[in-house]
């Protein structure tokens, strides 16, 4: 039986370090190659030694597919391709290809230049890695090789995020990456057609949450920001340079305009301009509304939001600052946080998920004393707010996607085990399909049952369809007979006659004759006539002939009668028929009757 | 399999392909050359045009003063310009399932087809094709509606009268079917039927046919199409280019191995080299500006203009044209320039990589930023106050019959300092200029047509090797003006099948096989036997299921074990025509092997007798005779038991 194997190297019952291996139809595919934000040691990257103990990965992998530019999905890519070694194709969408190297470089700078780590990938390695990237367009069917094809679907989540459909022969897998089933202020909703994959591998970040309406959350967010500003406090919003940042900027920009607010909004990093420019150039990846109006008014040209300078953090008075990175684990957002943490008038709003081990995660869990580097502690007095703006599908969204794609099996990754367990139960109950949730390093095997494609001769098919009528009758299934010719790599189904002709074979006639003795006082011809009338009454719908040479023919069965010389009452019935299935039934009747 | 040809224009095709059970329209081109027979529509009142004399036949019997005007020896219809539509009578257009669009120039007749024929299908096009196509339609509607003309001339179309008119009006075909421009409402409704597709996307049509667009390299989002089932493949090539301009390069390899290749949209200027023309364009432009004249470039608002602007971007400094204003005037000028920057996925590699920096892919963004290029929706409004001469103006429509270009013709036509440079190849420049004669302005003809020329196409066909080629009849002979140039036609073996307007071609297809799926249960139950080295056969008895044009074979459901009486009933119920055909038996029965088999079953007493054709076996214990021959076996016995032996 053919089977599909799925092994998460990361993101198995965990968020972060997404990296999933899929073996399908003899092809090995790596889905995402992310790093874990919560670790600084070896656990940061997926354990590639699972694939091979020594040497390069090129010969073990047919392709690598990156779903979107978040580092927990692409952060280990240069390490994998340049340090472990992989020269095969890497697929990602155009926006991902554009933005991914910038985030990687950013990440590298923080790790190497600021923290002084060695044994890390270099700028050159990022460049070399990106040279192996083949851009994907939405809905384009990309033939990786003769058998393996992949197709990208829109996933929402962030600019350029994609779900991928992977197909080998009639087996297929869909990997969602991170996705979002509700459109937001700048992105559209994920969509996939009814592709009925054997396995749907879905993220499950918000497996147990059904989130309230976006409008409420937006109003809440604006209210909190506004209140803090009013009382002269400062608002820090740690974000990733691309993604949520743009959505919140659009939100604040319109709010500032409507309320005529004067407090400055800053966007930290030098990425701002650049980031917004990407959004302008990839406007086709944003939502319907922005795409429609972009000629008149480009939503990514902000009037109220200005570039941040480090010195502004000490300015008196209220302000709103967007700073990177989003989980407060390093960089500018952490610096500003340290400066502002002591004042209870200030506020930090965490608009997204924080992985374990980051300061973001700690303060969200209510920790008020933080241990910093060099044994210093930091008292957290400012208000900490969590607003889930990260665009992941919630439980409702995941169910919605299952309804769209109609998978035969479901596999959950990128979520916490307990939450997955809950969702798994719900999925199995509602859709009556198997749902798996392997841990890292665990292999889940799903047997598939593909049908066998065959070429049928059009004559045979047309003849059969003409006989069968326009609608199949489920009560009386028709049986079609044909001969399957297997020659080299082709499978052809033709009519038996054609097969014989084609293969230069003679048909072999098989005839059976059998004698039945019976006692009957009538004359030979009378007996035969009685048999004839009897058969006629029993076998309605068959051609039954009484021929002049005193034989009865039922279709192709010949019945002859003779009486023995000694005893005219003992008649011998000679039945002769050729090898046919239905004939046998009829013959049986003839025999049993007498 | 049939091809209905609804347009005779080789670069603005409209064909309908009946393939398996689907009806597919390939492109929806609108022949706009008909507008050359009409008088220009001036934006502001033109005393010259309004004073043109009406036309009366020489003998004075036909007087069409109101409808026809004479200018410099040519006669023009004084009415809103009309277009020559694709043929509507050849087949019922409401039966069309899908329309495949190859590029934005080949979709301009879409509203006529989708809105007035009962069309209920889907239109497939790429996103740039849809967006830019919409802009071009919007522009066309705007040009027409801006200067409404009450009068609609119809008398001249009368067959009797048309015959007496001077050429080229006399020779115009199908004039009764010519139609005025559609409305914006019709455009919106037509375009709402478009479904977007990406290159190499496989679109299933009713499970019977798969269509897939391929990059054709001609314009933003332009595509060729593959229409295929499992066993047949039709390639539709329309407007393709091998030159490196802005679009993504042409995908040639996917066209390979097609049974039929429909070839349309070759270059209209087979003797003009686009690069040379671009050079001429720049040098003429510079010369005129230096002499203090203005340059008018009638053009479409998308397409070659991007290349012209890019060329000028590099040329401006070296030709010291840094202070010369460049104007682009069109109701959709801004949109066209903006849209060109957001389709990175559809651009050539060079432009694509610019987006990664991130920089706009086309340099006209910089021209606009530095105020060298300015764009306006029309000559009214801001333009009239900001307009400085000498300057270069890009504006439409290239036919010179409507749009802002008409105004500049009236304005600049009288001075020999000015130059008009034709770059679009769709209209004969002499015909376009006819209603403006006599003209003092210089005329330069630099048609830039990047589509395949005959040399390139024969190389391409050698490469992709289609079994048959179908093409417009124009491609099977040299152009009439250059009848000695046998290199300007298609020469193929077998010769291409030519079509003209209203042709119906039967495509040389022999469909012999269809894809069917054996369900796993059935596939597992098959018992193949090798009858020749490398060839195995298995008899298949199964139930056929056909749904949505997909066929599957399922195992025959096992009849429940029934008592004999029931069985009899079952048999009776079966109509005679369903008598099962024989399972396949073939070859002769080898005697030795047969005897061995019998032996294995405990039949040892066998008397073998040789006959002329084979052997007779007498199984004495069973009182059975078996007659073995070359092509038959006859078993005479009293019970059914030997049946099981075979």
């Amino acid at each position: 039986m053919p089977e599909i194997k799925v092994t998460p190297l990361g993101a198995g019952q965990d968020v972060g370090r997404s990296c999933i291996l899929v073996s399908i139809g003899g092809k090995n595919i790596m889905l995402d190659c992310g790093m874990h934000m919560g670790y600084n040691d070896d656990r940061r990257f997926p354990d590639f030694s699972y694939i091979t103990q020594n040497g390069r990965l090129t010969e073990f992998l047919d392709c690598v597919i990156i779903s979107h530019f978040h580092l927990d999905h692409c952060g280990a890519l240069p390490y994998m391709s340049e340090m472990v070694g992989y020269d095969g194709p890497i697929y990602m969408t155009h926006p991902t290809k554009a933005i991914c190297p910038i985030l990687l470089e950013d990440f590298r700078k923080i790790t190497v230049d600021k923290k002084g780590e060695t044994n890390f990938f270099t700028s050159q390695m990022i460049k070399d890695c990106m040279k192996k990237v083949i851009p994907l367009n939405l809905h384009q069917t990309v033939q990786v090789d003769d058998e393996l094809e992949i197709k990208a679907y829109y996933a929402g989540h962030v600019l350029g995020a994609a779900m991928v459909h992977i197909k080998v022969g009639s087996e297929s897998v869909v990997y969602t990456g991170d996705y979002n089933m509700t459109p937001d202020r700048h992105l559209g909703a994920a969509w996939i057609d009814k592709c009925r994959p054997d396995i749907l591998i879905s993220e499950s970040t918000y497996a147990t949450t059904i989130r309230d309406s976006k409008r409420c959350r937006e109003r809440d967010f604006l209210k909190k920001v506004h209140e803090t500003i009013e009382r002269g406090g400062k608002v820090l919003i740690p974000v990733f340079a691309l993604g949520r940042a743009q959505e919140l900027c659009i939100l604040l920009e319109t709010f500032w305009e409507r309320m005529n607010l004067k407090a400055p909004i800053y966007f930290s990093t030098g990425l701002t301009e650049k980031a917004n420019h990407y959004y302008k150039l990839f406007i086709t990846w944003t939502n319907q509304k922005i795409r429609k109006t972009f000629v008149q008014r480009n939503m990514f040209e902000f009037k109220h939001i200005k570039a941040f300078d480090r010195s502004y953090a000490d300015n008196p008075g209220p302000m709103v600052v967007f700073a990177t990175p989003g989980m407060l684990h390093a960089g500018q957002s952490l610096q500003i946080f340290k400066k502002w943490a002591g004042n209870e008038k200030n506020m930090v709003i965490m608009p997204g998920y924080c992985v374990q081990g980051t300061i973001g995660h700690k303060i969200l869990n209510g920790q008020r004393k933080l241990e910093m580097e060099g044994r210093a502690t930091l008292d957290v007095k400012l208000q900490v707010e969590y607003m889930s703006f990260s665009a992941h599908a919630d439980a409702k969204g995941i169910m919605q996607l299952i309804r769209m794609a109609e998978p035969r099996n479901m596999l959950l990754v990128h979520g916490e085990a307990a939450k997955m367990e809950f969702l798994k139960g719900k999925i199995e109950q509602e859709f009556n399909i198997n749902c798996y949730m392997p841990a890292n390093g665990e292999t889940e095997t799903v047997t598939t049952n593909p049908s066998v494609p065959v070429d049928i001769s059009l004559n045979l098919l047309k003849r059969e369809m003409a006989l069968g009528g326009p609608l199949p009758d489920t009560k009386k299934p028709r049986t079609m007979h044909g001969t399957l010719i297997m020659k080299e790599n082709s499978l052809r189904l033709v009519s038996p006659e054609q097969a014989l002709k084609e293969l230069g074979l003679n048909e072999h006639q098989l005839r059976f004759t059998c004698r039945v003795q019976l006692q009957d006082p009538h004359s030979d011809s009378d007996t035969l006539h009685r048999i004839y009338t009897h058969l006629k009454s029993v076998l309605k719908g068959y051609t039954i002939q009484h021929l002049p040479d005193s034989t009865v023919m039922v279709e192709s069965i010949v019945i002859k009668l003779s009486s023995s010389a000694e005893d005219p009452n003992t008649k011998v019935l000679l039945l002769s028929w050729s090898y046919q299935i239905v004939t046998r039934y009829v013959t049986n009747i003839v025999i049993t009757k007498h | 399999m049939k091809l209905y040809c609804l347009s005779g224009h080789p670069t603005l095709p409209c064909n309908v392909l009946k393939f398996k059970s689907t009806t597919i329209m390939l492109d929806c081109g609108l022949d706009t050359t008909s507008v050359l027979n009409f008088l220009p529509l001036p934006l502001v009142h033109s005393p010259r045009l309004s004073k043109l004399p009406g036309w009366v036949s020489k003998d004075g019997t036909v007087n069409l003063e109101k409808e026809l005007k004479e200018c410099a020896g040519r006669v023009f219809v004084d009415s809103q310009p009309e277009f020559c539509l694709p043929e509507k009578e050849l087949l019922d257009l409401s039966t069309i399932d899908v329309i495949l669009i190859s590029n934005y120039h080949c979709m301009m007749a879409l509203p006529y087809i989708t809105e007035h024929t009962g069309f209920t299908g889907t239109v497939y096009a790429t996103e740039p094709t849809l967006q830019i196509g919409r802009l071009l339609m919007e522009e066309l509607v705007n040009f027409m509606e801006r200067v409404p003309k009450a009068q609609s001339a119809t008398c001249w179309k009368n067959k009797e009268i048309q015959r007496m008119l001077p050429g080229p009006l006399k020779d115009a075909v199908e004039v009764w079917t010519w139609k005025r421009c559609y409305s914006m409402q019709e455009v919106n409704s037509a375009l709402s039927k478009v479904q977007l597709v990406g290159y190499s996307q496989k679109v299933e049509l009713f499970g019977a046919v798969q269509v897939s667009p391929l990059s054709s390299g001609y314009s933003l989002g332009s595509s060729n199409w593959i229409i295929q089932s499992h066993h047949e493949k039709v390639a539709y090539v329309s407007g393709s280019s091998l030159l490196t301009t802005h679009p993504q390069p042409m995908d040639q390899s996917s066209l390979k191995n097609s049974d039929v290749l429909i070839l349309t949209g070759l270059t209209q200027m087979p003797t003009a080299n686009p690069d040379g023309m671009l050079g001429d364009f720049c040098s003429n432009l510079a010369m005129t500006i230096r002499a203090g004249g203005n340059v008018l470039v009638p053009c479409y608002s998308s397409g070659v203009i991007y290349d012209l602007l890019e060329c000028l971007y590099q040329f401006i400094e070296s030709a010291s044209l840094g202070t010369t204003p460049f104007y682009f005037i069109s109701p959709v000028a801004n949109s066209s320039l903006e849209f060109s920057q957001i389709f990175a996925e559809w651009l050539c590699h060079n432009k694509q990589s610019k987006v990664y920096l991130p920089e706009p892919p086309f340099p006209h963004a910089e021209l606009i930023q530095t105020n060298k290029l300015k764009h306006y929706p029309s000559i009214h409004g801001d333009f009239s106050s900001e307009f400085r001469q000498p300057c270069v103006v890009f504006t439409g429509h290239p036919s010179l019959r409507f749009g802002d270009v008409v105004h500049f013709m009236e304005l600049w036509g009288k001075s020999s300092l000015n130059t008009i440079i034709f770059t679009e190849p769709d209209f004969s420049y002499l015909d376009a200029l006819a209603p403006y004669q006599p003209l003092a302005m210089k005329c330069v003809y630099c048609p830039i047509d990047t589509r395949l020329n005959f040399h390139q196409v024969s190389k391409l066909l050698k490469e992709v090797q289609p079994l048959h080629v179908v093409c417009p009849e124009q491609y099977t002979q040299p152009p009439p003006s250059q009848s000695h140039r046998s290199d300007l036609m298609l020469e193929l073996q077998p010769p291409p099948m030519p079509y003209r307007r209203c042709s119906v071609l039967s495509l040389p297809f022999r469909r012999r096989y269809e894809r069917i799926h054996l369900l796993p249960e059935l596939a597992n139950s098959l018992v193949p036997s090798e009858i020749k080295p490398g060839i195995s056969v298995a008899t298949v008895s199964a139930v056929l299921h056909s749904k949505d044009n997909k066929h599957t074979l399922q195992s025959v459901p096992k009849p429940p074990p029934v008592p004999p009486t029931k069985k009899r009933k079952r048999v009776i119920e079966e109509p005679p025509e369903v008598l099962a055909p024989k399972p396949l038996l073939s070859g002769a029965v080898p005697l030795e092997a047969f005897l061995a088999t019998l032996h294995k079953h405990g039949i040892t007493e066998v008397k073998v007798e040789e006959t002329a054709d084979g052997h007779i076996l007498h199984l004495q214990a069973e009182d059975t005779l078996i007659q073995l021959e070359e092509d038959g076996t006859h078993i005479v016995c009293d019970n059914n038991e030997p049946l099981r032996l075979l």
Side-chain angles (χ1 to χ4, degrees), chain A residues 284-301:
Chain A
T284 50
W285 287 78
T286 60
N287 70 24
Q288 198 81 33
K289 193 179 150 204
I290 295 185
R291 269 155 55 187
K292 260 201 165 144
T293 55
F294 91 103
V295 176
Q296 290 79 40
R297 163 157 172 46
N298 200 314
M299 287 295 264
F300 298 103
E301 277 161 17

Side-chain angles (χ1 to χ4, degrees), chain A residues 187-245:
Chain A
L187 296 173
W191 178 86
I192 195 163
D193 51 26
K194 209 182 280 301
C195 50
R196 298 196 175 97
D198 291 299
I199 309 178
L200 173 64
I201 304 175
S202 170
E203 64 132 330
S204 49
T205 322
Y206 291 124
T208 52
T209 331
I210 291 183
R211 290 187 296 167
D212 46 4
S213 88
K214 194 106 191 178
R215 294 265 159 227
C216 294
R217 259 176 294 147
E218 284 175 2
R219 211 163 30 225
D220 246 30
F221 169 78
L222 291 172
K223 201 174 131 210
K224 277 177 184 144
V225 172
H226 194 196
E227 280 168 5
T228 312
I229 296 296
E230 289 283 275
R231 65 169 180 258
K234 297 175 166 64
V235 182
L236 171 66
I237 309 173
V239 287
F240 287 102
L242 288 131
R244 264 343 81 192

